[in-house]
Structures are given as C-alpha cells and as structure tokens.
Amino acid sequence: FKDADSDKDGTLTLTELTSCFEIYKATMILANDYAPNALVTILAHANENMKRRTQRGETPVREVKADDGDYKVYQDAPVSGKGVWGRWTQPDAKKFKVRDSGYLSRKQKRPSDPFLFPIQHVEFRKIEGGKPLNHICAHEDSWWRTNKPGPSAFALIFNIQVTSIGVSVIMYHILPNGMDQVKKACPRVHDMLHALVENVRANRDKAKVDARFKFIPRVVTGPFIVRCAVKETPVIMGQKVSQSYYSGNNYLEVDVHVDSSYAANAIIKLAHAYSVNIECDMVWLLEAKEEKELPERLLAGVRVSNVDFSKSEGKPLQAS
C-alpha cells in the first residue's frame, strides 16, 4: 500500500488499489500462495480512505465558466475532468526535477515551480483516413473551435498522434490573459516561448523549435512491464520523432507524430494493451541551453488514467 501511494498523502485511489490487488495476485500465484480473501483487506483499506477524504472535506474540482457574448471566458481553468474514454487531471509539478541555476557546470536539478499553463481540456479523437490528424485547431469539430476561448487568451496545445491505432490525444493548456501571464510569472521562459512562436509563424528555424520542446513521461500506476518500458527520462521529442508546428493569433499547436519512431510506437502499443489499468503523467517544458535561461520550469502537464482507446469524443475526424 505504501509503495502504491504515489502522492504520499496517506490515501489510495481506486486505480492504485486495483493495481495493488493485481500485483498481489500475480505475485502470490507465482509463489503458489494466492489467497482470494486478501480482497477483503484491500476493500477495508479503501473504506478507510474514503472516510479520511470526507473528514478532510475534499471535493471534486469543477470547471468555472462565464459566457461573454460569443466567447467562453475561463475564470479558473479546471485541473481535472472526465471523458467517455477515461479521466484527466493536472499532476503535481514538484514531482518533476528540472535543471537548476548553474546546471551547465554543476549538473544539479531541483523540483519544478508550478506549471505555467493550466490544463483546460483533454480529448481523444478517432482518426479516419489512415493519416495523422494535423492542425487540430483548424478542424471545425475540434474542441478548440467549438469552445472559442476569449480573444485575450493564449493556448498551448499538444496533439499526440498515434495513427497506428487510429487515435489523436489532444491536450489544451489555456491562459485566460495570454502570454502576459507567462511574462509576469517567468520572464525567461516567456522570452524562449515567444521566440519559438515567432519562428513558427515565420516558418523558419524548425530545427531550433525541434531542439527546445522537452517531454517527460511518468507512469504513476500500472503493470510492472509498462513501468519498466516507460522511464521517467527527459527527452527532446523533436529529435526522436517528427513534429509539426502551427500557430494562430492566440495559440501554438505542437503535433507529435509518434508513429515516426519505431521505439516510441512499440512502447505506445505496449501501453495500449494495458491502458485501462494505467495512470500516466505527460509534462512539457523548454530546454534551457544558456545560464540566463535557468532554472527550467514546466510549461504544461496532464495525468490521464483508465484510458479506453475504443471510445472517443465527438465524431471521427478525417485526417488531412
């Protein structure tokens, strides 16, 4: 139980409890010592968890919206939600270590400050046509086009394309007051991100953009084989897989073509087989290459859990 309590808050989620039971069962079957009544102990532990959460007054986080003409103004971006395919939430940024000041000489890291972009929505979309679903923001049926964030907002959107299983996972991270919020919170990251947006809009220096976006995966709960395959190691995705970039007046979209890497595709297919029992974090940041850009800070992140790839939101979109 102690090992499964990923956030060390003294309680276990249902996913963590299920994982506990499955690991126990597999281990005891191998040892020829499987006792089904262990489930009684696990359920008793779950009941204690629920009592503790109630006593602490925990309540679900809800999305707060206010209609303003044709726009939906996000006053407090939600950090959790539920789709037909599973659940999503915003992980704890402090769980991830990033380059600290002086890293270029001392190689020292530290826990990240809070995310600069809060998670607003996650959608799983079925792809038709056998090709990647590029530039999701240009599709009329996308969440971005149907929800119309306000004119002062700025969004950072990651579109993880897994064409081999016909799915795009799209993560929308939105700041209601735009890039000014980034500039106020972290000027050095603002300057890096602003330069990348300008490069994308001018269609120049793609190699520089590829070399900046860093990705860190983390399996919170899941089968042992998946935890072994997915390491919590930072990777410059644009140097491992093909990425495309699109920018509008108030967004930057990063399309990640997972199928362009044999290794990445193999790991995705492995995780796909166990997806309903997996809780996984995906976080993004810009790699600091000069001392003035340190310390690093996470841009955006999301935790997805209990994903059922056979389900998706909205009608399937035709890949372009």
Side-chain angles (χ1 to χ4, degrees):
F1 291 139
K2 208 179 262 188
D3 290 341
D5 184 13
S6 59
D7 53 7
K8 306 304 178 189
D9 67 347
T11 66
L12 297 182
T13 64
L14 183 58
T15 301
E16 290 169 338
L17 287 165
T18 303
S19 177
C20 269
F21 182 63
E22 291 303 319
I23 292 171
Y24 166 82
K25 185 167 68 174
T27 305
M28 292 300 101
I29 286 174
L30 287 173
N32 197 27
D33 190 26
Y34 172 47
N37 62 1
L39 181 59
V40 175
T41 304
I42 292 176
L43 291 176
H45 192 80
N47 187 48
E48 285 301 310
N49 284 336
M50 286 187 284
K51 285 181 181 177
R52 279 187 233 167
R53 289 181 185 275
T54 301
Q55 289 168 358
R56 291 202 304 242
E58 292 186 4
T59 55
V61 178
R62 292 188 298 173
E63 185 175 347
V64 180
K65 294 183 182 179
D67 288 329
D68 179 20
D70 291 334
Y71 294 101
K72 293 180 179 177
V73 180
Y74 298 91
Q75 298 168 333
D76 290 303
V79 294
S80 65
K82 181 180 179 182
V84 295
W85 50 267
R87 293 181 178 273
W88 56 269
T89 188
Q90 184 163 279
D92 184 356
K94 295 193 298 291
K95 299 287 186 181
F96 298 88
K97 289 191 174 182
V98 297
R99 295 180 174 185
D100 198 358
S101 299
Y103 175 86
L104 299 180
S105 58
R106 298 196 305 269
K107 305 301 180 186
Q108 187 174 345
K109 292 189 174 184
R110 67 167 207 171
S112 175
D113 287 333
F115 293 105
L116 288 168
F117 283 77
I119 182 67
Q120 180 68 59
H121 186 67
V122 180
E123 64 176 341
F124 274 59
R125 300 303 299 255
K126 280 284 186 183
I127 303 172
E128 292 181 339
K131 295 180 181 179
L133 183 60
N134 295 320
H135 200 181
I136 185 67
C137 289
H139 285 260
E140 289 293 337
D141 191 42
S142 70
W143 183 90
W144 174 257
R145 296 292 287 271
T146 56
N147 281 269
K148 298 180 181 177
S152 61
F154 187 85
L156 191 55
I157 300 158
F158 294 97
N159 178 9
I160 311 297
Q161 304 172 341
V162 194
T163 312
S164 58
I165 57 176
V167 169
S168 260
V169 184
I170 306 111
M171 294 155 280
Y172 300 90
H173 307 269
I174 301 178
L175 286 174
N177 297 317
M179 289 284 280
D180 284 345
Q181 286 184 246
V182 182
K183 189 172 184 178
K184 183 177 180 180
C186 192
R188 62 186 181 280
V189 174
H190 169 272
D191 292 346
M192 288 190 285
L193 184 58
H194 178 74
L196 294 184
V197 171
E198 291 302 308
N199 282 347
V200 172
R201 288 176 178 170
N203 194 26
R204 64 170 185 260
D205 295 332
K206 182 178 182 296
K208 288 185 179 180
V209 183
D210 283 340
R212 280 292 194 182
F213 279 103
K214 187 188 292 184
F215 173 72
I216 307 176
R218 178 171 175 259
V219 176
V220 182
T221 58
F224 178 75
I225 188 172
V226 177
R227 286 185 278 122
C228 287
V230 182
K231 302 295 184 182
E232 190 178 333
T233 304
V235 58
I236 303 297
M237 287 295 282
Q239 297 176 349
K240 299 295 183 181
V241 300
S242 173
Q243 291 188 167
S244 301
Y245 308 94
Y246 304 92
S247 181
N249 291 331
N250 56 349
Y251 69 83
L252 174 64
E253 177 181 336
V254 181
D255 289 1
V256 184
H257 310 287
V258 175
D259 296 281
S260 62
S261 165
Y262 176 82
N265 187 251
I267 292 173
I268 288 290
K269 286 186 175 180
L270 172 65
H272 176 223
Y274 297 96
S275 62
V276 293
N277 296 316
I278 292 175
E279 195 169 28
C280 179
D281 291 344
M282 295 178 283
V283 304
W284 297 86
L285 66 156
L286 299 179
E287 180 166 88
K289 301 182 182 297
E290 301 177 37
E291 183 61 35
K292 67 180 182 180
E293 298 170 345
L294 292 168
E296 292 179 333
R297 182 167 174 175
L298 295 182
L299 278 175
V302 68
R303 174 177 295 178
V304 294
S305 55
N306 312 119
V307 176
D308 186 345
F309 280 92
S310 68
K311 298 177 181 178
S312 61
E313 299 179 66
K315 66 182 182 183
L317 296 180
Q318 184 70 33
S320 55

